[in-house]
Structure formats: structure tokens, C-alpha cells
Amino acid sequence: MATQEIGIPIDLTVGVFDKLIYKNNALQLIDMATDDNQNPVFVDSGTWISEPIWIKDKITSFKRVSKTISVKGNGTYKIFTSSSPDQTSWSPWEEINYVDGSIASPPDHYAKIKIEVFANKTNAIFTVDDFNIPDKYSNPFINSSDGILELKTQYPLVGTQDMNWNDQGKLFITRINKSKYIAINNIEVI
């Protein structure tokens, strides 16, 4: 006696997407940025959950998930199923057997499929800023010239003339708002 498997198509364009998108006829992780070598940088992981699938009269024959998977790079994936008699109460997610696609969820009137995709971590080079534009950052506490970014260590203050002693010199006064500094290590008068 020969048996024939009847497939129920699964639409990957609809469902619940979390950090995954459907693009170029496949599920893929959302890319967040591009590294210095123009390679896309993806989120760590993402999930897609199908809409409820009505098994119809194939309850006893719903035994496996047929998959065509193309993994680019070193990413990985997991496939889970869940079943329900009424679309209200669902069985716990059960991972499929990847050898033959068999499912562990109990046969029922409705099923859902969940696919989790994981990106493989690799090294990437990112240039945040090369600090080649002189004084790009207009902050009185930061020096951003000559290809470096550093905290300033000297803050010249211009005072107002308070007294003038003819041949003996001048006295200048300035106020330093203490909320702008944590500590003053020394004061140099020139």
C-alpha cells in the first residue's frame, strides 16, 4: 500500500515578525548597519511565528515539517511547532526533529510554526569618527583636532581688570563656577 504526503503551504509573508523580515523569498534578520568593508551587520537573533494553520481533515497525517533552507554565512536556526483544538489554548512549543522533519506537538485541528534565526558573531571594523575635521566638536572641555579626541586639561580664563598699580602691575579677577569642575588641581598665573 503506497502512501502520499499532502502538503499544506505555509505563507512566510504573513505572521508575527520580531527582528526578522521577509525579503527575496526568504526570512532574514534585520540589518542594523554596515561595517567599514560595506558588509551588513545583523541583529543577534529574530523570530517569525506563523498565523494559525487549519489542518482540516489531515489531523492524523500532520506529522512533519518539510523545509527548504538556505543558510548564508554561519547563521543557525531552530523550528518549533505548537497545536491547538480551538486557536485559544496552544500546546507548548516543541522543536522539530531536523533529520526527518517530524514534529513532537500533539495532532490537533490547528498548528503554528515558529522559526528562530541566529546570527553568527564575527569581527567587524567600524569607524565612528576619524576626528580629521579641526574643532568639529564645539565643547569647551573637549579637544578634537589633529585626528584625536581628548579631554582638555587646561582652561584659559580671561579675567576683568580690578585694580591698576601704575608701575607695579595689574590685578585681574575671574569667577569659576564650581558646578563645572569636579576638582582644580592647580592654578597658574602668568
Side-chain angles (χ1 to χ4, degrees):
M1 175 182 215
T3 60
Q4 178 183 4
E5 290 193 11
I6 300 172
I8 300 173
I10 298 168
D11 189 358
L12 296 174
T13 63
V14 294
V16 179
F17 294 84
D18 181 24
K19 299 179 187 167
L20 277 179
I21 58 172
Y22 185 77
K23 183 177 177 182
N24 299 327
N25 296 323
L27 291 174
Q28 78 174 36
L29 292 168
I30 294 173
D31 55 342
M32 301 183 307
T34 305
D35 69 6
D36 286 358
N37 296 323
Q38 301 306 310
N39 297 318
V41 177
F42 298 99
V43 295
D44 289 342
S45 64
T47 305
W48 172 80
I49 299 175
S50 72
E51 290 187 332
I53 303 163
W54 183 33
I55 304 301
K56 301 178 186 173
D57 56 350
K58 303 173 188 73
I59 293 173
T60 58
S61 63
F62 183 61
K63 296 180 181 177
R64 77 179 95 261
V65 173
S66 175
K67 58 198 182 317
T68 303
I69 296 178
S70 171
V71 177
K72 293 185 179 178
N74 295 323
T76 58
Y77 66 93
K78 290 183 179 181
I79 300 174
F80 301 87
T81 59
S82 178
S83 59
S84 170
D86 55 8
Q87 296 189 61
T88 304
S89 60
W90 290 89
S91 67
W93 290 108
E94 297 281 347
E95 195 166 1
I96 68 165
N97 180 329
Y98 296 98
V99 175
D100 61 2
S102 61
I103 64 171
S105 297
D108 224 321
H109 293 291
Y110 297 92
K112 280 202 250 183
I113 296 174
K114 175 170 76 168
I115 300 174
E116 293 179 354
V117 179
F118 305 93
N120 184 36
K121 295 185 188 274
T122 59
N123 292 330
I125 298 172
F126 291 95
T127 301
V128 178
D129 197 333
D130 55 8
F131 306 111
N132 286 332
I133 300 171
D135 301 320
K136 177 179 177 180
Y137 299 97
S138 60
N139 185 322
F141 307 106
I142 294 177
N143 178 22
S144 63
S145 59
D146 301 325
I148 58 169
L149 178 67
E150 65 184 356
L151 291 174
K152 288 183 179 177
T153 56
Q154 296 181 8
Y155 304 96
L157 298 173
V158 178
T160 57
Q161 184 173 341
D162 188 43
M163 301 178 105
N164 187 358
W165 295 292
N166 295 329
D167 294 329
Q168 299 174 1
K170 298 177 184 178
L171 176 65
F172 290 91
I173 297 174
T174 188
R175 292 189 182 269
I176 299 173
N177 187 348
K178 75 177 191 176
S179 65
K180 295 193 181 251
Y181 300 97
I182 294 174
I184 297 176
N185 294 332
N186 64 24
I187 296 176
E188 183 178 329
V189 179
I190 300 176

